[in-house]
Amino acid sequence: MKKIILFLSVSLFALSLVAQTNFRDITYKEALAAAKAEKKLVFIDFYTSWCGPCKMMMKNIFPLKEVGNYLNSKFVCIKIDAEKGEGPELAKRYQVKAYPTFVAINPAEEILMTKVGGSGSGSGFIGSIDRLIDPDKTPERMKQRYESGERTADLISAYAGLKMEEVYKNRQPDMTKKDEAFKMVQDYFDGLKDKERLAEENLFIYTSYTESSADAIARYMIANRDKFAPAIKNNISDRIKELYKMDVLNYLTARVPFNQQQYDIVKKGVMDLGLNKDDYYTTAFRFIESYGAGGMDAFMTLCEKEYDQLNDDYKSSLMYSFANVFANANETVKKRAAKFIRHSFLDMDATMIMFVAQQLMQLEGKGH
């Protein structure tokens, strides 16, 4: 029995390694030799020990199966500390000035791509790299392909992804680019047959271009969740959970106006899909319904009594949104809200205190 358990443990560990980015413990020169032998490129992650975004990438992005599958199939991947060993010389050679910086080269050491900064999603990270290393995915070439009538999953995913990157390219977000990307994907989706909509190649539609469980595409995804290709069923299930989590959060933090009919649909979806088995949403529902009733004095009393019963994600999100939630409350309630924040400071870390302090200033009329 012990041997069986050990075998299963080793097998599961091996599977976990397959499902993540394989950063090899080899030198730069060894990586070049390996890439030449394996007919691959070299992917270099330049990082430092103190870089927060670098740690975020290692924790949240590189362990993702989709990221590992993509990078491992095309690259020999290595990590280089820009401040140690061969790192300083290589960082200088490749003109690394910020962290993380990702560089792709061929075995002849020709630069194919330089990408500065991380990404908040695996699909976004993969897409940005793919566009940079593929000459058929330059902005000019993709525009030409699209205008010629090509409508493949590969092109739509890449072209819409480029437009989404352009939204935040400058200091002032260009939301017209987002509208263009979403319209492009919607038009593509509308032209697909059911079998195509459920195919693995079109997973990007659901993971990157749905924002609420009420979206038309999201409603299709939810209604057909058991019909998707087996390889992506878990991704679809995770996305549905994320959408409902965001919907509830938006009501809890007053990011969207309370609408009883729409809220009831969201709550019913959570319950019908079995997403509240562990009471993850139970307290949040009480808060939202109290807020929706319109009595801010009663809502503040609920905060004082049951705030600690919210799950950790929703506790911090609500605290970050206090000024918005109590924006239309009378001065007496605002003072109670400010007092509540001050009493909560002892349980916060330094980063949270900095952001919550801004909420306090707004509540007390000092943030304007």
Side-chain angles (χ1 to χ4, degrees):
M1 182 66 181
K2 288 182 178 179
K3 290 182 178 179
I4 293 174
I5 293 174
L6 178 60
F7 173 77
L8 289 174
S9 298
V10 172
S11 299
L12 289 172
F13 178 70
L15 286 173
S16 70
L17 290 179
V18 172
Q20 63 183 358
T21 306
N22 178 25
F23 282 103
R24 308 189 196 186
D25 187 17
I26 56 179
T27 66
Y28 172 76
K29 290 296 183 183
E30 289 170 339
L32 293 174
K36 184 176 182 179
E38 298 172 27
K39 297 182 179 179
K40 292 182 177 181
L41 305 173
V42 177
F43 177 86
I44 308 173
D45 172 8
F46 283 100
Y47 74 99
T48 66
S49 60
W50 46 263
C51 167
C54 302
K55 295 174 183 177
M56 182 278 293
M57 291 294 294
M58 282 304 296
K59 179 181 178 182
N60 299 332
I61 302 300
F62 290 126
L64 295 175
K65 184 177 185 298
E66 59 182 321
V67 175
N69 287 347
Y70 175 83
L71 292 177
N72 297 340
S73 66
K74 295 179 180 292
F75 300 95
V76 170
C77 302
I78 58 173
K79 292 178 64 64
I80 293 180
D81 187 330
E83 297 180 336
K84 296 180 181 178
E86 61 183 348
E89 188 275 326
L90 289 170
K92 182 178 180 180
R93 183 192 307 182
Y94 290 107
Q95 299 182 2
V96 176
K97 298 177 181 178
Y99 305 100
T101 289
F102 307 102
V103 177
I105 59 175
N106 61 25
E109 300 182 85
E110 296 170 332
I111 299 175
L112 305 176
M113 174 213 80
T114 298
K115 174 177 169 56
V116 180
S119 177
S121 72
S123 59
F125 186 67
I126 291 171
S128 63
I129 293 174
D130 204 43
R131 287 190 294 275
L132 289 167
I133 66 171
D134 188 344
D136 211 30
K137 290 178 181 175
T138 63
E140 298 77 18
R141 179 64 181 131
M142 287 195 290
K143 183 175 185 290
Q144 183 185 52
R145 290 168 64 189
Y146 187 79
E147 291 180 349
S148 70
E150 182 181 337
R151 295 295 184 271
T152 59
D154 184 58
L155 173 61
I156 300 301
S157 175
Y159 199 17
L162 173 65
K163 291 184 179 295
M164 289 299 292
E165 278 194 358
E166 290 175 342
V167 173
Y168 300 102
K169 192 173 183 179
N170 300 312
R171 181 170 295 183
Q172 190 69 26
D174 182 358
M175 301 311 291
T176 61
K177 293 297 183 182
K178 179 180 178 181
D179 293 339
E180 289 175 10
F182 270 71
K183 185 180 186 306
M184 181 185 297
V185 172
Q186 182 69 59
D187 290 346
Y188 170 68
F189 178 83
D190 291 341
L192 297 175
K193 298 177 181 178
D194 277 337
K195 184 177 180 180
E196 295 167 328
R197 290 178 175 182
L198 302 170
E200 182 177 355
E201 66 179 7
N202 286 314
L203 175 63
F204 77 93
I205 297 174
Y206 307 99
T207 56
S208 299
Y209 297 95
T210 52
E211 296 183 303
S212 165
S213 63
D215 293 347
I217 291 177
R219 290 199 303 271
Y220 178 90
M221 172 177 61
I222 295 166
N224 294 277
R225 60 191 179 278
D226 296 325
K227 300 177 183 177
F228 281 88
I232 61 172
K233 276 190 176 180
N234 287 340
N235 302 84
I236 293 296
S237 177
D238 289 344
R239 185 56 181 169
I240 291 171
K241 292 176 184 176
E242 288 172 4
L243 290 177
Y244 277 109
K245 183 177 179 180
M246 287 190 290
D247 286 344
V248 173
L249 179 63
N250 285 337
Y251 278 115
L252 178 67
T253 57
R255 292 176 188 169
V256 297
F258 182 81
N259 179 294
Q260 187 68 56
Q261 184 178 8
Q262 293 175 0
Y263 166 72
D264 288 343
I265 292 173
V266 170
K267 184 176 180 180
K268 185 177 187 300
V270 169
M271 303 308 291
D272 288 351
L273 292 172
L275 303 180
N276 195 41
K277 287 182 179 178
D278 57 356
D279 286 329
Y280 185 86
Y281 294 102
T282 300
T283 305
F285 286 150
R286 284 202 297 273
F287 272 70
I288 294 168
E289 288 157 18
S290 173
Y291 181 81
M296 295 308 296
D297 188 67
F299 180 76
M300 187 63 241
T301 298
L302 183 64
C303 288
E304 293 166 343
K305 291 182 177 180
E306 298 191 28
Y307 173 79
D308 286 336
Q309 294 180 34
L310 286 166
N311 62 66
D312 290 341
D313 290 336
Y314 284 172
K315 279 172 65 177
S316 57
S317 295
L318 178 59
M319 187 65 75
Y320 287 146
S321 306
F322 248 46
N324 184 48
V325 170
F326 290 95
N328 297 319
N330 61 44
E331 290 305 312
T332 300
V333 173
K334 284 184 177 180
K335 287 181 180 179
R336 288 176 64 190
K339 182 178 179 181
F340 181 80
I341 288 178
R342 290 185 181 279
H343 285 172
S344 302
F345 275 147
L346 291 176
D347 298 322
M348 299 180 195
D349 59 33
T351 301
M352 188 172 183
I353 288 175
M354 180 177 67
F355 286 105
V356 173
Q358 297 174 8
Q359 301 295 307
L360 182 63
M361 291 172 66
Q362 291 181 53
L363 284 168
E364 294 181 339
K366 302 173 184 177
H368 305 286

